[in-house]
Amino acid sequence: MTPHNGTGGVAVARARRRKTTRSTLRFIGAAAAAASLLLVVAWPPGGGEGVADGRGGAGSGPHGSSRPAADSAGPALGWGLTHTRYSADQGERGARERAEKLLSQRRLPQNQHIMGWGALNPEPSPGRYDFASLDSRVELVRRTGGTPVITLCCAPDWMKGGADGETDWSRERLETAPDPEHYDDFAKLAGVVAERYPDVRHFIVWNELKGFFDDDRNRWDAESYTRLYNKVYAELKRVDENNLVGGPYVVMDSRPPGDDTHASPVRGPWGSVDRRALDALGYWDEHKVGADFVVVDGPSYTHEDELVPDEFTATEKFGAVGRWVRERTGLPLWWAEWYVEPGDADDARDGWSERHRVAVHAAGMMAMARGGAATGLYWNPQRRGADCPGCLWRGTADADGGGGLPMMSLLSRFGREFPPGTRFTEAKTGGDGARHLKVLADDRVVLAVNTLGRAVKAEVDGEPVEFGPYGVRWLTR
């Protein structure tokens, strides 16, 4: 999520830990996870077709029972999720069915990467494809009626100096960008993916500029990323001009107030966004051949894992970033990931109660919505066991798993009540507890959040309302 440590002093211990833990935990053991997935998943018919020799083989043809693409969906999808290492296409049958039923209750955008985060290497050797694991995830989205999104990351080893037919799942290799001489090959792979899943219309190019930080110049190598992006964009549009493509998926890192390191004009009580992130996005915006939406991600906390001045006020960063990006690009804004709770040394975010976590996420989503977000994809930190802080459903490895959790209720309700294009209005608050509330409203509903860990009483639209500790209330107007 942060640049690599370089001679310019880019990364402190937090950056090294973040890079090592957050990304590594997503990737390390991915081969084993994928192998177990192959054993436990009931593959859809034709899943074995994913392995083929030559670009004209079965790997490059349409797969499965795809429904007609929703060309009218446009780039504003609302609030959904990203599937990660474990998801509802694996585990116990009853648990999978419960999770699928949960996902089917509302048409959510659902994102899947092509390599890592639950997907095997899609092209282990040039022209030889293995789409079995990616097929499984796409079929899950189809079965649950979701709007499929594909993130085109990461790259097969042979595109970045590795050996044909081998996959190194270590963090260093998976976070390596393709070599420039293989940009065309990666674009061709993107085209094969688009042809295989013709019902997919939304594509994100790469993830967090992984492998594109220039240690010597102590900045993002936006030039190289943009060259890759432009090739992928052109190939996806060649496959189907209705395909919608976005980037650059840059991390909006920030420093606390008073720290002028790489300071920028995008600032607030929470600090200042790293100027290098804005520069990278600006270069991409000026030199891209086209884009249908712009993608960012980031945490509410600072580079040093500080919540300034507190965890709720810190979420205002999302709104400030959104307004700047929308004004700079004029494009629909996507948040591919967002985080409000700093991770520990193992990147685990389980120090808060679930009530606390949901309340701060609600405040963050309010800020993103006010900042003009057209799409938000919640990074679902799915685990196999019953204990799963921040997860959307209970792990499906257990027979009694698959049931919905509080974050799913928030995500689904927020998406239903505040779809893209919502015109927000003011809600009048009063009483002793009013100063402790975060509020978002349109002409139908009010979402109000108590930012304290104790109960408060307040008035909303003139009516008395009681809030429990970190209470989240939906009120009809």
Side-chain angles (χ1 to χ4, degrees):
M1 185 171 171
T2 53
H4 293 290
N5 189 26
T7 56
V10 173
V12 294
R14 174 266 186 188
R16 184 181 294 278
R17 185 180 76 246
R18 173 86 56 233
K19 199 67 175 179
T20 301
T21 56
R22 176 181 150 198
S23 298
T24 302
L25 289 173
R26 293 178 183 172
F27 279 119
I28 284 286
S36 64
L37 183 150
L38 286 169
L39 293 174
V40 300
V41 172
W43 296 105
E49 296 176 358
V51 180
D53 292 319
R55 294 197 179 275
S60 61
H63 164 75
S65 56
S66 63
R67 60 180 182 272
D71 293 334
S72 61
L77 299 182
W79 301 87
L81 65 126
T82 291
H83 294 282
T84 54
R85 177 176 174 179
Y86 302 112
S87 197
D89 61 336
Q90 58 190 114
E92 296 292 328
R93 179 176 178 178
R96 295 200 316 268
E97 290 175 349
R98 280 188 288 276
E100 289 192 16
K101 182 178 180 180
L102 181 72
L103 284 168
S104 301
Q105 290 175 357
R106 190 171 181 278
R107 184 180 175 87
L108 297 172
Q110 300 179 41
N111 176 41
Q112 174 62 46
H113 291 64
I114 64 170
M115 180 175 173
W117 299 286
L120 288 168
N121 188 336
E123 192 178 4
S125 298
R128 183 176 183 275
Y129 304 103
D130 182 355
F131 287 119
S133 53
L134 188 56
D135 287 348
S136 178
R137 289 291 172 90
V138 172
E139 285 294 340
L140 171 64
V141 179
R142 289 170 175 170
R143 288 195 303 273
T144 56
T147 301
V149 178
I150 285 182
T151 294
L152 297 162
C153 184
C154 290
D157 291 47
W158 60 270
M159 295 187 190
K160 51 196 181 189
D164 288 1
E166 297 183 5
T167 302
D168 182 348
W169 293 101
S170 68
R171 161 231 166 186
E172 289 79 7
R173 296 308 302 157
L174 279 157
E175 292 192 351
T176 299
D179 295 334
E181 57 266 31
H182 288 295
Y183 285 0
D184 286 333
D185 292 314
F186 187 79
K188 289 177 182 177
L189 173 59
V192 170
V193 170
E195 289 172 344
R196 186 165 182 81
Y197 312 113
D199 50 330
V200 178
R201 277 287 177 261
H202 300 83
F203 296 88
I204 301 173
V205 180
W206 210 242
N207 173 299
E208 292 188 332
L209 296 183
K210 284 177 167 56
F212 285 102
F213 192 78
D214 188 325
D215 290 323
D216 294 332
R217 293 186 290 178
N218 194 24
R219 68 171 179 84
W220 294 109
D221 184 2
E223 297 89 344
S224 294
Y225 168 79
T226 304
R227 286 195 293 274
L228 174 67
Y229 171 89
N230 284 341
K231 289 178 180 291
V232 173
Y233 177 92
E235 177 65 10
L236 292 172
K237 292 293 186 177
R238 182 199 65 78
V239 171
D240 193 317
E241 63 181 8
N242 293 310
N243 285 335
L244 304 179
V245 188
Y249 201 155
V250 61
V251 182
M252 291 294 173
D253 207 355
S254 60
R255 301 277 183 167
D259 186 342
D260 292 331
T261 307
H262 307 296
S264 75
V266 183
R267 58 180 61 233
W270 42 267
S272 169
V273 172
D274 192 313
R275 172 181 48 80
R276 296 168 300 176
L278 304 185
D279 289 346
L281 189 145
Y283 181 91
W284 168 83
D285 185 48
E286 291 177 9
H287 296 88
K288 66 185 185 308
V289 295
D292 299 289
F293 52 92
V294 57
V295 187
V296 299
D297 85 326
S300 58
Y301 44 84
T302 70
H303 186 79
E304 293 78 18
D305 286 352
E306 298 172 305
L307 289 162
V308 182
D310 60 76
E311 70 270 38
F312 286 95
T313 306
T315 64
E316 295 174 6
K317 170 184 172 180
F318 297 135
V321 168
R323 287 185 288 273
W324 183 88
V325 173
R326 293 280 291 118
E327 182 178 355
R328 177 65 176 79
T329 68
L331 292 169
L333 169 63
W334 285 35
W335 283 90
E337 306 172 43
W338 72 90
Y339 300 90
V340 299
E341 180 183 6
D344 62 15
D346 295 321
D347 205 42
R349 294 176 173 83
D350 53 10
W352 294 350
S353 69
E354 199 68 8
R355 179 183 290 268
H356 187 183
R357 183 176 296 109
V358 170
V360 185
H361 269 295
M365 294 167 70
M366 290 178 181
M368 283 185 278
R370 288 196 189 95
T375 302
L377 298 171
Y378 180 70
W379 190 276
N380 186 23
Q382 202 64 49
R383 300 181 184 178
R384 292 180 64 85
D387 184 25
C388 198
C391 296
L392 298 179
W393 57 82
R394 294 179 177 84
T396 53
D398 296 332
D400 61 350
L405 293 170
M407 271 304 304
M408 186 62 158
S409 297
L410 172 65
L411 187 73
S412 181
R413 182 76 184 266
F414 197 98
R416 182 171 74 249
E417 301 293 359
F418 302 132
T422 297
R423 297 183 62 180
F424 298 110
T425 61
E426 294 296 323
K428 294 181 180 180
T429 60
D432 293 340
R435 66 183 184 279
H436 303 300
L437 299 183
K438 290 277 189 180
V439 178
L440 184 68
D442 62 9
D443 58 0
R444 298 175 298 105
V445 297
V446 178
L447 172 59
V449 176
N450 174 18
T451 63
L452 295 183
R454 62 173 175 82
V456 301
K457 296 180 179 180
E459 293 182 357
V460 179
D461 286 343
E463 296 294 328
V465 182
E466 295 185 2
F467 295 84
Y470 300 123
V472 176
R473 297 288 304 271
W474 291 93
L475 307 170
T476 302
R477 307 187 85 174

